[in-house]
Amino acid sequence: MSMIPEVKCRRCGATFSSMRSRCPSCGTRRVTQSGRAPGTTPGTVKGTASYERAETNTKWQMIFGLILVVAVILAVVVMVSTSLAGSDASNKNTVLTPPVVTDYVPIIAEPPTAPPTPTPTVESIKVFFYNDEKTTDFLMHVGDTVNLTAQVLPLTIQGVKVEWSSSDTDYMTVTSTDDLACTVECVGAIPGGVKLTASCLGVEKVLTVYCVE
Protein backbone atom coordinates (compact mmCIF):
# COMPACT_ATOMS: atom_id res chain seq x y z
CA MET A 1 0.00 0.00 0.00
CA SER A 2 1.28 3.47 -0.88
CA MET A 3 2.00 5.77 2.06
CA ILE A 4 1.07 8.82 0.02
CA PRO A 5 -2.65 9.50 0.14
CA GLU A 6 -4.58 9.82 -3.06
CA VAL A 7 -7.19 12.38 -3.99
CA LYS A 8 -10.07 12.30 -6.42
CA CYS A 9 -10.40 14.75 -9.29
CA ARG A 10 -13.42 16.95 -8.78
CA ARG A 11 -13.94 17.11 -12.54
CA CYS A 12 -13.28 13.70 -14.13
CA GLY A 13 -13.27 11.51 -11.00
CA ALA A 14 -9.81 10.02 -11.59
CA THR A 15 -7.65 9.32 -8.51
CA PHE A 16 -4.07 10.55 -8.27
CA SER A 17 -1.36 11.21 -5.71
CA SER A 18 -1.87 14.07 -3.35
CA MET A 19 1.62 15.19 -4.19
CA ARG A 20 0.39 16.32 -7.60
CA SER A 21 -1.15 19.76 -7.99
CA ARG A 22 -3.13 18.83 -11.11
CA CYS A 23 -5.10 15.81 -12.35
CA PRO A 24 -2.93 13.77 -14.78
CA SER A 25 -6.06 12.85 -16.76
CA CYS A 26 -7.78 16.19 -17.37
CA GLY A 27 -5.32 18.72 -15.95
CA THR A 28 -7.80 20.17 -13.44
CA ARG A 29 -6.07 22.00 -10.58
CA ARG A 30 -6.50 20.29 -7.25
CA VAL A 31 -8.15 22.41 -4.54
CA THR A 32 -6.29 22.27 -1.27
CA GLN A 33 -8.61 22.24 1.75
CA SER A 34 -7.66 24.50 4.59
CA GLY A 35 -7.06 22.83 7.94
CA ARG A 36 -7.75 25.97 9.93
CA ALA A 37 -10.76 26.05 12.20
CA PRO A 38 -13.13 29.00 11.65
CA GLY A 39 -12.75 31.75 14.12
CA THR A 40 -15.52 32.66 16.57
CA THR A 41 -17.68 35.80 16.19
CA PRO A 42 -16.81 38.42 18.81
CA GLY A 43 -20.46 39.01 19.58
CA THR A 44 -20.87 35.44 20.80
CA VAL A 45 -18.02 35.55 23.28
CA LYS A 46 -19.08 36.57 26.77
CA GLY A 47 -17.17 39.37 28.37
CA THR A 48 -16.47 41.18 25.12
CA ALA A 49 -17.81 44.60 24.17
CA SER A 50 -19.58 43.12 21.11
CA TYR A 51 -21.40 40.61 23.30
CA GLU A 52 -22.58 43.38 25.65
CA ARG A 53 -23.83 45.47 22.74
CA ALA A 54 -25.67 42.48 21.26
CA GLU A 55 -27.39 41.79 24.59
CA THR A 56 -28.41 45.44 24.91
CA ASN A 57 -29.86 45.53 21.36
CA THR A 58 -31.85 42.34 22.00
CA LYS A 59 -33.39 43.78 25.18
CA TRP A 60 -34.39 46.99 23.44
CA GLN A 61 -35.94 45.05 20.56
CA MET A 62 -38.04 43.03 23.00
CA ILE A 63 -39.15 46.20 24.84
CA PHE A 64 -40.05 47.93 21.58
CA GLY A 65 -42.01 44.87 20.42
CA LEU A 66 -44.00 44.77 23.68
CA ILE A 67 -44.76 48.51 23.42
CA LEU A 68 -45.96 48.07 19.83
CA VAL A 69 -48.27 45.16 20.77
CA VAL A 70 -49.73 47.15 23.70
CA ALA A 71 -50.31 50.17 21.44
CA VAL A 72 -52.17 48.05 18.87
CA ILE A 73 -54.37 46.51 21.58
CA LEU A 74 -55.21 49.96 23.02
CA ALA A 75 -56.06 51.31 19.55
CA VAL A 76 -58.45 48.41 18.90
CA VAL A 77 -60.13 48.92 22.31
CA VAL A 78 -60.58 52.66 21.64
CA MET A 79 -62.08 52.04 18.19
CA VAL A 80 -64.57 49.49 19.52
CA SER A 81 -65.58 51.76 22.43
CA THR A 82 -66.08 54.73 20.09
CA SER A 83 -68.25 52.78 17.67
CA LEU A 84 -70.42 51.42 20.49
CA ALA A 85 -70.82 54.91 22.03
CA GLY A 86 -71.81 56.37 18.65
CA SER A 87 -74.38 53.63 18.12
CA ASP A 88 -75.96 54.26 21.54
CA ALA A 89 -76.03 58.02 20.93
CA SER A 90 -77.71 57.62 17.55
CA ASN A 91 -80.35 55.36 19.07
CA LYS A 92 -81.04 57.86 21.87
CA ASN A 93 -81.22 60.86 19.52
CA THR A 94 -83.71 59.20 17.20
CA VAL A 95 -87.08 60.84 17.78
CA LEU A 96 -90.21 59.60 16.08
CA THR A 97 -91.88 62.47 14.27
CA PRO A 98 -95.68 62.35 14.63
CA PRO A 99 -97.63 62.48 11.39
CA VAL A 100 -98.84 65.91 10.34
CA VAL A 101 -102.63 66.11 10.57
CA THR A 102 -104.32 68.64 8.33
CA ASP A 103 -107.89 69.37 7.37
CA TYR A 104 -107.07 69.30 3.67
CA VAL A 105 -109.38 67.05 1.73
CA PRO A 106 -108.09 66.12 -1.70
CA ILE A 107 -110.40 66.96 -4.56
CA ILE A 108 -110.93 64.03 -6.87
CA ALA A 109 -111.65 65.17 -10.37
CA GLU A 110 -114.68 63.53 -11.89
CA PRO A 111 -114.08 61.64 -15.10
CA PRO A 112 -115.22 63.47 -18.19
CA THR A 113 -118.79 62.76 -19.16
CA ALA A 114 -119.17 61.05 -22.48
CA PRO A 115 -121.26 62.98 -24.94
CA PRO A 116 -124.83 61.66 -25.08
CA THR A 117 -125.72 59.40 -27.94
CA PRO A 118 -128.16 61.22 -30.19
CA THR A 119 -131.65 59.75 -30.25
CA PRO A 120 -132.37 58.16 -33.63
CA THR A 121 -135.22 59.62 -35.66
CA VAL A 122 -137.92 57.16 -36.72
CA GLU A 123 -139.65 58.04 -39.98
CA SER A 124 -142.29 55.29 -40.16
CA ILE A 125 -143.29 51.79 -39.02
CA LYS A 126 -144.45 48.91 -41.20
CA VAL A 127 -146.33 45.80 -39.95
CA PHE A 128 -145.93 42.40 -41.66
CA PHE A 129 -147.77 39.10 -41.41
CA TYR A 130 -144.92 36.90 -42.60
CA ASN A 131 -144.02 38.60 -45.93
CA ASP A 132 -147.44 40.25 -46.35
CA GLU A 133 -147.44 43.89 -45.28
CA LYS A 134 -150.59 44.97 -43.44
CA THR A 135 -151.45 48.42 -44.79
CA THR A 136 -155.22 48.32 -44.19
CA ASP A 137 -157.66 46.93 -41.62
CA PHE A 138 -158.03 43.14 -41.47
CA LEU A 139 -160.44 40.53 -40.16
CA MET A 140 -159.97 37.87 -37.45
CA HIS A 141 -162.31 35.25 -36.05
CA VAL A 142 -162.74 34.53 -32.38
CA GLY A 143 -159.99 32.11 -31.34
CA ASP A 144 -157.63 33.06 -34.19
CA THR A 145 -153.97 33.88 -33.41
CA VAL A 146 -151.53 35.67 -35.74
CA ASN A 147 -147.87 36.61 -35.41
CA LEU A 148 -146.95 40.11 -36.59
CA THR A 149 -143.53 41.74 -37.08
CA ALA A 150 -142.76 45.46 -37.24
CA GLN A 151 -140.14 47.14 -39.41
CA VAL A 152 -138.74 50.50 -38.25
CA LEU A 153 -137.63 52.94 -40.95
CA PRO A 154 -135.06 54.02 -41.87
CA LEU A 155 -133.36 50.61 -41.81
CA THR A 156 -130.14 52.16 -40.46
CA ILE A 157 -131.77 52.45 -37.03
CA GLN A 158 -130.56 49.59 -34.82
CA GLY A 159 -131.38 48.45 -31.29
CA VAL A 160 -134.87 49.96 -31.04
CA LYS A 161 -137.92 48.29 -29.50
CA VAL A 162 -141.51 48.42 -30.72
CA GLU A 163 -144.32 48.64 -28.17
CA TRP A 164 -147.56 46.80 -29.09
CA SER A 165 -150.97 47.58 -27.55
CA SER A 166 -154.66 46.77 -27.91
CA SER A 167 -157.41 49.33 -27.44
CA ASP A 168 -159.65 46.68 -25.80
CA THR A 169 -158.00 43.64 -24.24
CA ASP A 170 -161.41 42.06 -23.52
CA TYR A 171 -161.74 41.26 -27.21
CA MET A 172 -158.15 41.26 -28.49
CA THR A 173 -154.88 40.60 -26.61
CA VAL A 174 -151.38 41.48 -27.79
CA THR A 175 -148.20 39.85 -26.40
CA SER A 176 -144.69 41.03 -27.37
CA THR A 177 -142.39 38.14 -28.32
CA ASP A 178 -139.21 40.20 -28.95
CA ASP A 179 -138.17 43.78 -29.72
CA LEU A 180 -140.10 43.88 -33.01
CA ALA A 181 -142.63 40.99 -33.00
CA CYS A 182 -145.88 40.20 -31.20
CA THR A 183 -148.71 37.67 -31.05
CA VAL A 184 -152.31 38.89 -31.56
CA GLU A 185 -155.26 36.77 -30.38
CA CYS A 186 -158.96 37.46 -30.97
CA VAL A 187 -160.86 36.43 -27.79
CA GLY A 188 -164.30 37.97 -28.47
CA ALA A 189 -166.49 39.47 -31.17
CA ILE A 190 -167.11 43.23 -31.06
CA PRO A 191 -168.82 45.51 -33.56
CA GLY A 192 -166.53 48.18 -35.02
CA GLY A 193 -163.27 46.26 -34.38
CA VAL A 194 -160.29 46.88 -32.02
CA LYS A 195 -157.32 49.22 -32.56
CA LEU A 196 -153.90 47.56 -32.78
CA THR A 197 -151.02 50.05 -32.25
CA ALA A 198 -147.29 49.62 -32.87
CA SER A 199 -145.21 52.56 -31.51
CA CYS A 200 -141.48 53.41 -31.47
CA LEU A 201 -139.83 56.67 -30.38
CA GLY A 202 -143.00 58.73 -30.81
CA VAL A 203 -144.04 57.27 -34.17
CA GLU A 204 -147.15 55.01 -34.35
CA LYS A 205 -148.68 52.60 -36.83
CA VAL A 206 -152.41 51.94 -36.11
CA LEU A 207 -154.49 49.15 -37.66
CA THR A 208 -158.10 48.15 -37.03
CA VAL A 209 -158.74 44.46 -36.41
CA TYR A 210 -162.35 43.27 -36.83
CA CYS A 211 -163.09 40.42 -34.46
CA VAL A 212 -166.11 38.34 -35.60
CA GLU A 213 -167.64 34.97 -34.73
Side-chain angles (χ1 to χ4, degrees), residues 126-144:
K126 293 182 179 182
V127 177
F128 290 87
F129 175 67
Y130 293 103
N131 293 328
D132 181 20
E133 181 183 358
K134 295 295 184 181
T135 57
T136 60
D137 304 335
F138 60 94
L139 179 69
M140 291 183 65
H141 294 276
V142 176
D144 287 348

PDB file of all heavy atoms in Angstrom, residues 126-144:
ATOM      1  N   LYS A 126    -143.664  49.828 -40.380  1.00  0.00           N
ATOM      2  CA  LYS A 126    -144.446  48.913 -41.202  1.00  0.00           C
ATOM      3  C   LYS A 126    -144.734  47.647 -40.398  1.00  0.00           C
ATOM      4  O   LYS A 126    -143.912  47.228 -39.578  1.00  0.00           O
ATOM      5  CB  LYS A 126    -143.715  48.546 -42.486  1.00  0.00           C
ATOM      6  CG  LYS A 126    -143.551  49.721 -43.453  1.00  0.00           C
ATOM      7  CD  LYS A 126    -142.851  49.270 -44.738  1.00  0.00           C
ATOM      8  CE  LYS A 126    -142.702  50.416 -45.714  1.00  0.00           C
ATOM      9  NZ  LYS A 126    -142.063  49.983 -46.990  1.00  0.00           N
ATOM     10  N   VAL A 127    -145.937  47.037 -40.646  1.00  0.00           N
ATOM     11  CA  VAL A 127    -146.330  45.803 -39.950  1.00  0.00           C
ATOM     12  C   VAL A 127    -146.501  44.708 -40.989  1.00  0.00           C
ATOM     13  O   VAL A 127    -147.168  44.902 -42.023  1.00  0.00           O
ATOM     14  CB  VAL A 127    -147.637  46.010 -39.163  1.00  0.00           C
ATOM     15  CG1 VAL A 127    -148.068  44.704 -38.502  1.00  0.00           C
ATOM     16  CG2 VAL A 127    -147.454  47.104 -38.109  1.00  0.00           C
ATOM     17  N   PHE A 128    -145.887  43.518 -40.715  1.00  0.00           N
ATOM     18  CA  PHE A 128    -145.931  42.405 -41.657  1.00  0.00           C
ATOM     19  C   PHE A 128    -146.524  41.182 -40.985  1.00  0.00           C
ATOM     20  O   PHE A 128    -146.289  40.909 -39.804  1.00  0.00           O
ATOM     21  CB  PHE A 128    -144.516  42.068 -42.150  1.00  0.00           C
ATOM     22  CG  PHE A 128    -143.923  43.105 -43.060  1.00  0.00           C
ATOM     23  CD1 PHE A 128    -143.233  44.203 -42.545  1.00  0.00           C
ATOM     24  CD2 PHE A 128    -144.050  42.980 -44.437  1.00  0.00           C
ATOM     25  CE1 PHE A 128    -142.684  45.137 -43.386  1.00  0.00           C
ATOM     26  CE2 PHE A 128    -143.496  43.919 -45.281  1.00  0.00           C
ATOM     27  CZ  PHE A 128    -142.809  45.011 -44.766  1.00  0.00           C
ATOM     28  N   PHE A 129    -147.333  40.446 -41.781  1.00  0.00           N
ATOM     29  CA  PHE A 129    -147.765  39.103 -41.412  1.00  0.00           C
ATOM     30  C   PHE A 129    -147.006  38.168 -42.331  1.00  0.00           C
ATOM     31  O   PHE A 129    -147.351  38.035 -43.503  1.00  0.00           O
ATOM     32  CB  PHE A 129    -149.286  38.954 -41.581  1.00  0.00           C
ATOM     33  CG  PHE A 129    -149.785  37.551 -41.326  1.00  0.00           C
ATOM     34  CD1 PHE A 129    -149.724  36.990 -40.063  1.00  0.00           C
ATOM     35  CD2 PHE A 129    -150.295  36.784 -42.382  1.00  0.00           C
ATOM     36  CE1 PHE A 129    -150.195  35.709 -39.846  1.00  0.00           C
ATOM     37  CE2 PHE A 129    -150.744  35.497 -42.162  1.00  0.00           C
ATOM     38  CZ  PHE A 129    -150.691  34.948 -40.884  1.00  0.00           C
ATOM     39  N   TYR A 130    -145.914  37.585 -41.787  1.00  0.00           N
ATOM     40  CA  TYR A 130    -144.917  36.900 -42.601  1.00  0.00           C
ATOM     41  C   TYR A 130    -144.384  37.890 -43.629  1.00  0.00           C
ATOM     42  O   TYR A 130    -143.803  38.907 -43.240  1.00  0.00           O
ATOM     43  CB  TYR A 130    -145.505  35.646 -43.244  1.00  0.00           C
ATOM     44  CG  TYR A 130    -145.843  34.583 -42.212  1.00  0.00           C
ATOM     45  CD1 TYR A 130    -147.178  34.377 -41.817  1.00  0.00           C
ATOM     46  CD2 TYR A 130    -144.853  33.797 -41.625  1.00  0.00           C
ATOM     47  CE1 TYR A 130    -147.487  33.409 -40.863  1.00  0.00           C
ATOM     48  CE2 TYR A 130    -145.162  32.836 -40.671  1.00  0.00           C
ATOM     49  CZ  TYR A 130    -146.474  32.647 -40.292  1.00  0.00           C
ATOM     50  OH  TYR A 130    -146.776  31.708 -39.349  1.00  0.00           O
ATOM     51  N   ASN A 131    -144.527  37.660 -44.918  1.00  0.00           N
ATOM     52  CA  ASN A 131    -144.020  38.596 -45.932  1.00  0.00           C
ATOM     53  C   ASN A 131    -145.108  39.528 -46.444  1.00  0.00           C
ATOM     54  O   ASN A 131    -144.861  40.329 -47.349  1.00  0.00           O
ATOM     55  CB  ASN A 131    -143.422  37.826 -47.113  1.00  0.00           C
ATOM     56  CG  ASN A 131    -142.167  37.064 -46.722  1.00  0.00           C
ATOM     57  OD1 ASN A 131    -141.425  37.510 -45.850  1.00  0.00           O
ATOM     58  ND2 ASN A 131    -141.931  35.914 -47.354  1.00  0.00           N
ATOM     59  N   ASP A 132    -146.319  39.444 -45.900  1.00  0.00           N
ATOM     60  CA  ASP A 132    -147.443  40.254 -46.354  1.00  0.00           C
ATOM     61  C   ASP A 132    -147.553  41.497 -45.470  1.00  0.00           C
ATOM     62  O   ASP A 132    -147.800  41.392 -44.262  1.00  0.00           O
ATOM     63  CB  ASP A 132    -148.732  39.428 -46.283  1.00  0.00           C
ATOM     64  CG  ASP A 132    -149.945  40.208 -46.765  1.00  0.00           C
ATOM     65  OD1 ASP A 132    -149.746  41.205 -47.490  1.00  0.00           O
ATOM     66  OD2 ASP A 132    -151.063  39.835 -46.385  1.00  0.00           O
ATOM     67  N   GLU A 133    -147.348  42.650 -46.058  1.00  0.00           N
ATOM     68  CA  GLU A 133    -147.445  43.887 -45.284  1.00  0.00           C
ATOM     69  C   GLU A 133    -148.916  44.235 -45.049  1.00  0.00           C
ATOM     70  O   GLU A 133    -149.734  44.210 -45.970  1.00  0.00           O
ATOM     71  CB  GLU A 133    -146.752  45.036 -46.017  1.00  0.00           C
ATOM     72  CG  GLU A 133    -146.802  46.352 -45.231  1.00  0.00           C
ATOM     73  CD  GLU A 133    -146.172  47.516 -45.972  1.00  0.00           C
ATOM     74  OE1 GLU A 133    -145.660  47.288 -47.087  1.00  0.00           O
ATOM     75  OE2 GLU A 133    -146.195  48.654 -45.436  1.00  0.00           O
ATOM     76  N   LYS A 134    -149.215  44.561 -43.794  1.00  0.00           N
ATOM     77  CA  LYS A 134    -150.594  44.970 -43.438  1.00  0.00           C
ATOM     78  C   LYS A 134    -150.664  46.486 -43.518  1.00  0.00           C
ATOM     79  O   LYS A 134    -150.169  47.208 -42.654  1.00  0.00           O
ATOM     80  CB  LYS A 134    -150.920  44.497 -42.022  1.00  0.00           C
ATOM     81  CG  LYS A 134    -150.961  42.986 -41.861  1.00  0.00           C
ATOM     82  CD  LYS A 134    -152.103  42.378 -42.676  1.00  0.00           C
ATOM     83  CE  LYS A 134    -152.211  40.883 -42.456  1.00  0.00           C
ATOM     84  NZ  LYS A 134    -153.304  40.288 -43.262  1.00  0.00           N
ATOM     85  N   THR A 135    -151.308  46.977 -44.595  1.00  0.00           N
ATOM     86  CA  THR A 135    -151.454  48.422 -44.788  1.00  0.00           C
ATOM     87  C   THR A 135    -152.864  48.893 -44.489  1.00  0.00           C
ATOM     88  O   THR A 135    -153.089  50.084 -44.293  1.00  0.00           O
ATOM     89  CB  THR A 135    -151.102  48.804 -46.229  1.00  0.00           C
ATOM     90  OG1 THR A 135    -151.932  48.060 -47.127  1.00  0.00           O
ATOM     91  CG2 THR A 135    -149.641  48.493 -46.516  1.00  0.00           C
ATOM     92  N   THR A 136    -153.824  47.948 -44.453  1.00  0.00           N
ATOM     93  CA  THR A 136    -155.224  48.323 -44.190  1.00  0.00           C
ATOM     94  C   THR A 136    -155.750  47.450 -43.057  1.00  0.00           C
ATOM     95  O   THR A 136    -155.066  46.558 -42.548  1.00  0.00           O
ATOM     96  CB  THR A 136    -156.090  48.120 -45.440  1.00  0.00           C
ATOM     97  OG1 THR A 136    -156.035  46.729 -45.830  1.00  0.00           O
ATOM     98  CG2 THR A 136    -155.596  48.976 -46.595  1.00  0.00           C
ATOM     99  N   ASP A 137    -157.017  47.720 -42.673  1.00  0.00           N
ATOM    100  CA  ASP A 137    -157.657  46.935 -41.619  1.00  0.00           C
ATOM    101  C   ASP A 137    -157.815  45.493 -42.091  1.00  0.00           C
ATOM    102  O   ASP A 137    -157.906  45.206 -43.287  1.00  0.00           O
ATOM    103  CB  ASP A 137    -159.033  47.538 -41.296  1.00  0.00           C
ATOM    104  CG  ASP A 137    -158.918  49.018 -40.921  1.00  0.00           C
ATOM    105  OD1 ASP A 137    -157.821  49.404 -40.457  1.00  0.00           O
ATOM    106  OD2 ASP A 137    -159.899  49.748 -41.085  1.00  0.00           O
ATOM    107  N   PHE A 138    -157.863  44.540 -41.087  1.00  0.00           N
ATOM    108  CA  PHE A 138    -158.026  43.138 -41.475  1.00  0.00           C
ATOM    109  C   PHE A 138    -158.947  42.448 -40.480  1.00  0.00           C
ATOM    110  O   PHE A 138    -159.243  42.972 -39.396  1.00  0.00           O
ATOM    111  CB  PHE A 138    -156.663  42.435 -41.575  1.00  0.00           C
ATOM    112  CG  PHE A 138    -155.869  42.422 -40.293  1.00  0.00           C
ATOM    113  CD1 PHE A 138    -155.937  41.339 -39.420  1.00  0.00           C
ATOM    114  CD2 PHE A 138    -155.052  43.489 -39.955  1.00  0.00           C
ATOM    115  CE1 PHE A 138    -155.213  41.328 -38.257  1.00  0.00           C
ATOM    116  CE2 PHE A 138    -154.319  43.465 -38.785  1.00  0.00           C
ATOM    117  CZ  PHE A 138    -154.389  42.388 -37.922  1.00  0.00           C
ATOM    118  N   LEU A 139    -159.398  41.269 -40.882  1.00  0.00           N
ATOM    119  CA  LEU A 139    -160.437  40.533 -40.165  1.00  0.00           C
ATOM    120  C   LEU A 139    -159.842  39.325 -39.451  1.00  0.00           C
ATOM    121  O   LEU A 139    -158.979  38.636 -39.983  1.00  0.00           O
ATOM    122  CB  LEU A 139    -161.524  40.072 -41.151  1.00  0.00           C
ATOM    123  CG  LEU A 139    -162.679  39.258 -40.591  1.00  0.00           C
ATOM    124  CD1 LEU A 139    -163.569  40.098 -39.697  1.00  0.00           C
ATOM    125  CD2 LEU A 139    -163.522  38.667 -41.740  1.00  0.00           C
ATOM    126  N   MET A 140    -160.366  39.054 -38.211  1.00  0.00           N
ATOM    127  CA  MET A 140    -159.974  37.869 -37.451  1.00  0.00           C
ATOM    128  C   MET A 140    -161.233  37.264 -36.833  1.00  0.00           C
ATOM    129  O   MET A 140    -162.159  37.979 -36.451  1.00  0.00           O
ATOM    130  CB  MET A 140    -158.963  38.212 -36.326  1.00  0.00           C
ATOM    131  CG  MET A 140    -157.592  38.630 -36.804  1.00  0.00           C
ATOM    132  SD  MET A 140    -156.450  38.927 -35.409  1.00  0.00           S
ATOM    133  CE  MET A 140    -156.327  37.267 -34.713  1.00  0.00           C
ATOM    134  N   HIS A 141    -161.213  35.950 -36.720  1.00  0.00           N
ATOM    135  CA  HIS A 141    -162.312  35.251 -36.052  1.00  0.00           C
ATOM    136  C   HIS A 141    -161.934  34.966 -34.609  1.00  0.00           C
ATOM    137  O   HIS A 141    -160.746  34.884 -34.252  1.00  0.00           O
ATOM    138  CB  HIS A 141    -162.637  33.940 -36.790  1.00  0.00           C
ATOM    139  CG  HIS A 141    -163.194  34.157 -38.162  1.00  0.00           C
ATOM    140  ND1 HIS A 141    -164.509  34.407 -38.411  1.00  0.00           N
ATOM    141  CD2 HIS A 141    -162.568  34.157 -39.399  1.00  0.00           C
ATOM    142  CE1 HIS A 141    -164.719  34.547 -39.698  1.00  0.00           C
ATOM    143  NE2 HIS A 141    -163.529  34.401 -40.334  1.00  0.00           N
ATOM    144  N   VAL A 142    -162.974  34.821 -33.795  1.00  0.00           N
ATOM    145  CA  VAL A 142    -162.743  34.531 -32.379  1.00  0.00           C
ATOM    146  C   VAL A 142    -161.959  33.215 -32.267  1.00  0.00           C
ATOM    147  O   VAL A 142    -162.342  32.204 -32.870  1.00  0.00           O
ATOM    148  CB  VAL A 142    -164.070  34.460 -31.605  1.00  0.00           C
ATOM    149  CG1 VAL A 142    -163.811  34.070 -30.150  1.00  0.00           C
ATOM    150  CG2 VAL A 142    -164.799  35.795 -31.687  1.00  0.00           C
ATOM    151  N   GLY A 143    -160.848  33.275 -31.502  1.00  0.00           N
ATOM    152  CA  GLY A 143    -159.985  32.106 -31.345  1.00  0.00           C
ATOM    153  C   GLY A 143    -158.798  32.101 -32.274  1.00  0.00           C
ATOM    154  O   GLY A 143    -157.875  31.281 -32.105  1.00  0.00           O
ATOM    155  N   ASP A 144    -158.776  33.003 -33.270  1.00  0.00           N
ATOM    156  CA  ASP A 144    -157.628  33.057 -34.188  1.00  0.00           C
ATOM    157  C   ASP A 144    -156.422  33.727 -33.493  1.00  0.00           C
ATOM    158  O   ASP A 144    -156.575  34.628 -32.654  1.00  0.00           O
ATOM    159  CB  ASP A 144    -157.985  33.840 -35.448  1.00  0.00           C
ATOM    160  CG  ASP A 144    -158.926  33.068 -36.363  1.00  0.00           C
ATOM    161  OD1 ASP A 144    -159.088  31.851 -36.113  1.00  0.00           O
ATOM    162  OD2 ASP A 144    -159.486  33.682 -37.283  1.00  0.00           O
TER     163      ASP A 144
END
